[in-house]
Amino acid sequence: MRPGLAKGARLVHDPVRATDALLYPEGSLLLDEPAAAVVRACDGRRDVDAIVTLLSGSYEGVRREDVTALLADLEERRLLAGGGRPAVADICAGSAAQQGSLPVGMLAELTYRCPLRCTYCSNPVRIEPFSDELSTAEWLDVLDQARALGVLQVHFSGGEPLLRADLADLIAHTRRLGMYSNLITSGISLTERRLAGLVDAGLDHLQLSIQDATAADGDAVAGIRAHDRKIAAAAVVRATGLPLTVNVVLHAGNVDRIEAIADFAVALGADRLELAHTQFYGWGLRNRATLMPSADQVARANAAAAAVHDRLDLVYVEPDYHTGRPKPCMNGWGSRQFVVAPTGPVLPCLAAGQLPGATPATTREAALAEIWHHSELFNRYRGTDWMPQPCGSCALREVDFGGCRCQAYQLTGDPAATDPACSLSPHHGDLAAVAASAGSVPRPTPIPRRYR
């Protein structure tokens, strides 16, 4: 193997952390100095022996087996590939950061406007308060602050971010700062000309949402004739060579069609397929009785996902309401990610605005660094000291972080409670009853998302 950077991967040097990082579609990997040196030696022409020889000129004790193991791990993660691009590091903007945890990713929700009416949408049911969207200048300032705080990856989302006329300007600024940009879109208004402008601006990766494998099923969920337009959007993306992820939200209506969905994603030319079970927030929560799959459906979905895993790069996470183990919220509350809503509220996760207590601080009234490090909302569930029993003494408390605060609040009325998805939670029976009822009664007609 003569490794170089794989499609969609970028090597950057982050002066905020004084380290190198590999950035890739919807992910990042911070590298220690030995790993960074190995990656920098990957130019698509050197084989393992040549890389070892090169490194031995600068470091003592370089072992071929260590280099081989690291290269194999990075190849398995699809960050390196034989004959790939030379791993030359871009230099990010910024200087050494203050002490404390630093965020890696920012979800920039540019707007809640959207042409689709998906019943599982996680956007707030009431979005009138979000009509006064941040201006271009305000978003550019947010991006500057995010980079200074340590953010390496920006996810542009919504709603539909393509409805923002300034999207190319925001992507271009993200690239100037050295950060990686992901565009999460329905693709409805994605034309060849529009995408060319985004690629020229420096867009790194595009995630295209689809609703199902066929037009009839997909359009029924979208609420408009969208399926064929998504096929056209995928063709436009494929023609640019941009990395393409296809995202499908799974629910009771489509969860038994995973293999057909995978076939469709392959036909679209997807590099990755993300199968995301519905998160019950916003419209998804409102339609939970319609959307939640039964335990039998989830078991079949798990088997189907395992069967298609070898065909393409698959991201699949089993829903935690049937497993007895909660998923870690954002890999730890206030530890790696944050969200900026369309009018500037800064949140530890998409749904944290629903929690009782302090009103989320906004970028219009405080600096991002102040909010991240010192705001009451971000510190409320950061770390493990806040945890009640049984979480406080659980050996997995730094693995699942007590689960989801929003799910705990929705089911118990107490956001500090152990997530009822956990079998050790005193409230586990509440969620088990909800999960057990899925599919046992006629499902109500879902309420389509609407923008008011």
Side-chain angles (χ1 to χ4, degrees):
M1 175 180 168
R2 298 176 186 273
L5 290 182
K7 180 180 180 181
R10 278 176 51 204
L11 178 66
V12 301
H13 178 74
D14 177 19
V16 174
R17 295 177 176 82
T19 192
D20 285 357
L22 275 170
L23 309 180
Y24 54 97
E26 303 181 64
S28 57
L29 180 66
L30 300 178
L31 304 173
D32 59 19
E33 174 55 31
V38 172
V39 172
R40 285 174 180 268
C42 296
D43 63 356
R45 298 186 300 274
R46 297 187 183 97
D47 61 14
V48 175
D49 289 331
I51 291 173
V52 171
T53 299
L54 177 66
L55 295 175
S56 297
S58 301
Y59 300 91
E60 294 183 359
V62 177
R63 302 196 308 167
R64 189 181 192 281
E65 55 267 37
D66 293 337
V67 173
T68 300
L70 175 60
L71 293 175
D73 178 60
L74 295 177
E75 184 182 14
E76 184 177 357
R77 295 171 183 249
R78 300 175 190 263
L79 301 179
L80 296 178
R85 294 174 291 110
V88 179
D90 298 327
I91 306 298
C92 295
S95 56
Q98 56 185 297
Q99 296 298 310
S101 64
L102 301 177
V104 175
M106 175 177 74
L107 178 62
E109 294 190 300
L110 301 182
T111 180
Y112 286 146
R113 292 172 287 143
C114 183
L116 304 187
R117 307 181 67 202
C118 304
T119 55
Y120 50 69
C121 183
S122 61
N123 286 171
V125 172
R126 290 188 66 253
I127 55 179
E128 299 95 327
F130 298 96
S131 59
D132 183 22
E133 297 171 3
L134 296 179
S135 67
T136 303
E138 287 175 311
W139 272 116
L140 294 177
D141 182 55
V142 168
L143 290 168
D144 286 337
Q145 293 186 58
R147 174 78 286 269
L149 186 56
V151 168
L152 288 166
Q153 189 152 133
V154 181
H155 311 274
F156 292 106
S157 182
E160 176 47 71
L162 287 172
L163 294 177
R164 290 280 302 215
D166 57 358
L167 180 58
D169 296 328
L170 302 183
I171 289 172
H173 196 62
T174 301
R175 174 51 74 99
R176 282 193 293 270
L177 294 170
M179 296 184 290
Y180 196 100
S181 58
N182 296 296
L183 175 60
I184 304 168
T185 176
S186 68
I188 294 301
S189 58
L190 188 65
T191 63
E192 183 177 350
R193 180 177 179 180
R194 185 77 190 279
L195 183 57
L198 301 180
V199 172
D200 288 345
L203 180 64
D204 289 297
H205 165 254
L206 187 144
Q207 181 193 110
L208 178 68
S209 68
I210 66 170
Q211 282 65 46
D212 215 315
T214 67
D217 294 319
D219 292 348
V221 174
I224 64 171
R225 292 182 178 178
H227 190 80
D228 290 344
R229 293 158 75 177
K230 291 172 180 288
I231 294 175
V236 169
V237 177
R238 192 167 58 246
T240 68
L242 197 68
L244 173 64
T245 293
V246 164
N247 172 272
V248 184
V249 176
L250 298 177
H251 51 84
N254 68 0
V255 73
D256 287 315
R257 293 193 285 274
I258 284 179
E259 292 192 30
I261 288 170
D263 289 340
F264 183 52
V266 170
L268 291 177
D271 300 290
R272 300 169 71 246
L273 172 61
E274 182 177 299
L275 299 175
H277 282 268
T278 301
Q279 299 292 303
F280 296 111
Y281 312 122
W283 292 96
L285 178 61
R286 193 165 191 176
N287 290 306
R288 184 174 64 184
T290 305
L291 298 169
M292 182 177 282
S294 67
D296 288 343
Q297 284 184 304
V298 171
R300 291 195 295 271
N302 294 344
V308 304
H309 191 275
D310 292 337
R311 297 170 50 198
L312 74 171
D313 188 4
L314 176 68
V315 178
Y316 173 81
V317 180
E318 185 178 2
D320 61 2
Y321 44 80
H322 288 304
T323 65
R325 294 302 316 164
K327 296 193 297 290
C329 178
M330 303 293 282
N331 292 303
W333 183 277
S335 65
R336 290 179 59 86
Q337 310 274 342
F338 64 88
V339 179
V340 180
T343 55
V346 184
L347 303 166
C349 73
L350 280 167
Q354 70 180 295
L355 300 182
T359 301
T362 79
T363 58
R364 286 172 166 161
E365 63 189 21
L368 269 182
E370 176 67 21
I371 297 171
W372 172 264
H373 288 293
H374 304 297
S375 70
E376 191 277 335
L377 181 59
F378 273 83
N379 283 303
R380 191 186 299 177
Y381 306 115
R382 185 173 263 156
T384 59
D385 290 344
W386 61 272
M387 291 182 175
Q389 295 298 338
C391 293
S393 57
C394 180
L396 298 178
R397 64 186 179 276
E398 294 187 7
V399 175
D400 60 33
F401 307 102
C404 176
R405 299 302 89 226
C406 300
Q407 187 162 270
Y409 172 63
Q410 288 168 183
L411 288 163
T412 73
D414 178 8
T418 299
D419 186 341
C422 180
S423 60
L424 300 178
S425 166
H427 301 284
H428 182 63
D430 298 336
L431 183 60
V434 171
S437 68
S440 62
V441 296
R443 295 183 183 271
T445 301
I447 303 169
R449 179 198 190 273
R450 54 187 180 272
Y451 180 82
R452 299 193 301 269

